[in-house]
Amino acid sequence: MRQADTTIFALSSGSVPAGVAVIRLSGSQSRFAIETFLKQAYPSPRQSTLCNLYHPVDKSLLDQVILLSFPAPASFTGEDVVEIHCHGSRAVVAILLDCLSQIPGVRAAEPGEFSRRAFENGKLDLTAVEGLGDLIHADTEVQRRQAVVQMAGGLEKIYSTWRADIVRMRALIEADLDFADEEDVPSDVTDGLFDEIRNLSAEINRHITQGEIGERIRDGVRIALVGAPNVGKSSLLNALAKRDVAIVTDQPGTTRDVIEVQLDLRGYPVSVFDTAGLRETTDLVEQEGIRRSTVEAVRADLVVALTDHKGTSVDDELARLQTDAEIIKAQNKTDLIESAQKQKSDGSLLFSARTGEGLGDLIDELSERVARLCGDGKSESAVWTRQRHKSLLLEVRDALDMALASTDLGVELVAEHLRQAGDSLGKLVGVIDVDDLLDVIFREFCIGK
Ligand code: GDP
């Protein structure tokens, strides 16, 4: 059976029990499937209607529900869609799902299958689908804001405009090719064109650089806690997790491995890595821990370089890491420092993970830096958010630059590079050649979406 002929259903709301649960159906059999439960007329489109649902075989009353129907094509998937708003008990949901699965041509949906149908029916472009996935998984306010812009077509608008520009440029070149023998189509058509290509390449380049922010917001700003063993890295991580910030997930490794905690730091998503203490060691397991710590620290956006009351310098370790990350220096265990000595600090933020003294200031500093790394969360225009976007954008820019570099080699070659640039933009929004990608993208979705 072709996919378009199967009707799918799933529990689209959260886990049961709950006050209300929403079961959604999509496909040409949706209406027929619902009518097997009804003794009354099928509800009018888009009007919430109170209905009794009866068992299709023994006709016993199953539940009293609200039905909402969205006939094709004016629905989320572009197909006939029905939502059953039933009571959210395990038993009600179980019997309804079971009865639905008995209906010929109707089956349980796979993860992301509703969104996939929406994409295949042209209701959403690929970047909007990705935005929708990110919105469902958004943990913090800044992530929500970014995802909702992308879901609403923020990226699609930009990429489609660029694609249309490129199509127009190609058309101009092809006209130039067709009329090449005629005196009256001068090549100043193409002269102006090269300026346009150059400007577009520069604009795409700016967009590529800006997007580091988008990826950071989507995946979280990476903060590595670095310092010698026992300066208090784990204690700081615990203190951060308990104060002002909410733990999202906690993925401990072995004691000598890297521990990552995802936190919501005043609306910004951060991943804090408590790295194994950096020091010379002959212990093989510890060496591996240090190697992993080094990798995390080098990949970090922000490094908190910690010392303790002894004030041993971390400068050598930082130099060895050769990281481009921003650095915040902090000195822990101030409760062990005489107050007269506290004044002598080298600009490090002083705090005590044990007493909490100075911790507020450290969190303020961290939050400010994180906000800055995320463009203060105020970016008006949509930014790319995934490596998939970045690599295709680089392809577009490179193809445009190749087009510019080919000017002396003939306009045919310029046209060919423009075609490649247009195709890469087509892959970004999903109108060209993305079949192999779809499984990966939709797998990230939950069932019912
Ligand atoms: P790590 O090896 O860098 O992760 O250090 P830990 O967080 O495990 O801390 C090492 C030791 O220092 C532990 O015994 C902590 O209780 C202690 N410690 C951590 N922070 C403070 C502090 O602010 N004051 C004092 N007095 N001890 C602390």
Side-chain angles (χ1 to χ4, degrees):
M1 194 177 266
R2 278 195 315 116
Q3 190 195 43
D5 293 336
T6 43
T7 292
I8 52 173
F9 65 87
L11 175 66
S12 285
S13 53
S15 58
V16 287
V20 175
V22 180
I23 295 172
R24 180 158 56 168
L25 286 89
S26 178
S28 56
Q29 298 285 87
S30 299
R31 177 177 180 150
F32 167 73
I34 295 296
E35 280 177 337
T36 63
F37 293 90
L38 292 178
K39 290 185 182 171
Q40 67 196 79
Y42 187 73
S44 309
R46 290 176 296 282
Q47 292 196 1
S48 59
T49 310
L50 183 67
C51 298
N52 285 338
L53 295 189
Y54 298 92
H55 193 287
V57 180
D58 67 24
K59 303 295 173 197
S60 61
L61 181 64
L62 295 178
D63 193 15
Q64 198 165 50
V65 305
I66 298 284
L67 287 184
L68 257 176
S69 80
F70 304 90
S75 72
F76 173 67
T77 59
E79 303 175 331
D80 285 341
V81 167
V82 188
E83 287 179 8
I84 309 172
H85 296 235
C86 59
H87 291 103
S89 77
R90 286 197 183 88
V92 168
V93 170
I95 186 86
L96 289 176
L97 294 182
D98 183 52
C99 291
L100 284 169
S101 68
Q102 309 293 325
I103 301 171
V106 178
R107 65 162 170 79
E110 285 159 21
E113 202 172 359
F114 289 92
S115 306
R116 186 169 186 149
R117 289 184 176 199
F119 167 72
E120 282 168 354
N121 291 325
K123 287 278 167 178
L124 298 171
D125 84 293
L126 206 49
T127 60
V129 165
E130 289 167 330
L132 176 62
D134 290 348
L135 184 63
I136 291 168
H137 292 119
D139 286 318
T140 73
E141 175 55 15
V142 187
Q143 287 176 319
R144 181 196 64 73
R145 264 187 266 155
Q146 172 165 291
V148 82
V149 168
Q150 189 173 325
M151 184 197 67
L155 282 182
E156 197 260 348
K157 209 161 127 200
I158 299 174
Y159 300 153
S160 300
T161 309
W162 288 346
R163 192 151 177 259
D165 286 347
I166 289 174
V167 168
R168 187 177 41 76
M169 292 177 200
R170 267 183 68 197
L172 279 177
I173 289 205
E174 266 148 37
D176 201 33
L177 278 175
D178 289 346
F179 294 103
D181 298 335
E182 295 178 24
E183 294 291 309
D184 56 348
V185 179
S187 52
D188 37 306
V189 173
T190 40
D191 285 349
L193 194 73
F194 291 125
D195 286 339
E196 267 198 73
I197 299 178
R198 203 168 294 117
N199 292 342
L200 184 56
S201 166
E203 193 180 341
I204 292 176
N205 218 16
R206 276 195 299 277
H207 180 74
I208 292 172
T209 325
Q210 232 183 15
E212 308 288 346
I213 290 173
E215 194 179 27
R216 242 177 236 144
I217 292 178
R218 178 170 184 266
D219 298 340
V221 174
R222 302 169 64 85
I223 302 179
L225 307 182
V226 166
N230 284 322
V231 292
K233 296 180 295 299
S234 310
S235 306
L236 173 59
L237 182 64
N238 289 336
L240 281 177
K242 279 189 214 117
R243 284 185 53 129
D244 280 17
V245 287
I247 297 194
V248 179
T249 61
D250 191 355
Q251 302 165 336
T254 68
T255 46
R256 286 173 173 169
D257 207 338
V258 180
I259 295 174
E260 175 184 355
V261 179
Q262 289 173 352
L263 305 169
D264 176 342
L265 187 61
R266 300 190 181 153
Y268 291 90
V270 298
S271 290
V272 187
F273 298 88
D274 172 11
T275 61
L278 300 176
R279 62 169 179 182
E280 299 293 332
T281 175
T282 49
D283 181 322
L284 285 181
V285 182
E286 191 169 355
Q287 274 177 6
E288 175 58 16
I290 290 172
R291 190 192 64 75
R292 291 186 195 181
S293 302
T294 309
V295 170
E296 290 307 339
V298 170
R299 288 175 56 212
D301 300 301
L302 194 57
V303 165
V304 180
L306 273 192
T307 54
D308 61 8
H309 57 299
K310 294 180 206 137
T312 321
S313 166
V314 274
D315 290 346
D316 291 347
E317 278 88 349
L318 289 177
R320 210 175 316 139
L321 285 175
Q322 293 185 317
T323 170
D324 293 331
E326 291 192 22
I327 313 269
I328 294 179
K329 287 190 180 175
Q331 188 174 16
N332 184 25
K333 309 192 190 177
T334 47
D335 52 305
L336 300 179
I337 306 178
E338 296 290 327
S339 54
Q341 284 178 303
K342 286 184 191 172
Q343 311 305 323
K344 292 183 194 160
S345 167
D346 61 342
S348 295
L349 288 164
L350 299 174
F351 75 102
S352 166
R354 177 160 297 173
T355 65
E357 184 193 4
L359 204 55
D361 291 341
L362 179 57
I363 293 176
D364 284 347
E365 177 68 20
L366 274 174
S367 313
E368 270 173 38
R369 302 271 196 122
V370 165
R372 224 179 302 146
L373 283 164
C374 293
D376 289 316
K378 289 191 194 110
S379 174
E380 295 286 312
S381 54
V383 286
W384 62 266
T385 53
R386 298 171 183 236
Q387 282 302 314
R388 182 184 88 80
H389 302 162
K390 186 182 185 182
S391 49
L392 285 166
L393 286 164
L394 287 170
E395 272 181 39
V396 181
R397 188 204 57 193
D398 291 348
L400 292 178
D401 291 348
M402 295 281 280
L404 286 170
S406 317
T407 48
D408 296 337
L409 302 171
V411 279
E412 290 91 344
L413 212 56
V414 177
E416 172 56 17
H417 288 305
L418 285 182
R419 189 191 58 73
Q420 284 170 5
D423 282 0
S424 298
L425 282 168
K427 286 182 196 166
L428 260 170
V429 293
V431 292
I432 291 184
D433 195 22
V434 283
D435 282 355
D436 47 339
L437 263 180
L438 296 182
D439 287 340
V440 180
I441 291 174
F442 288 104
R443 209 180 301 137
E444 286 178 16
F445 278 75
C446 24
I447 291 185
K449 191 61 223 170

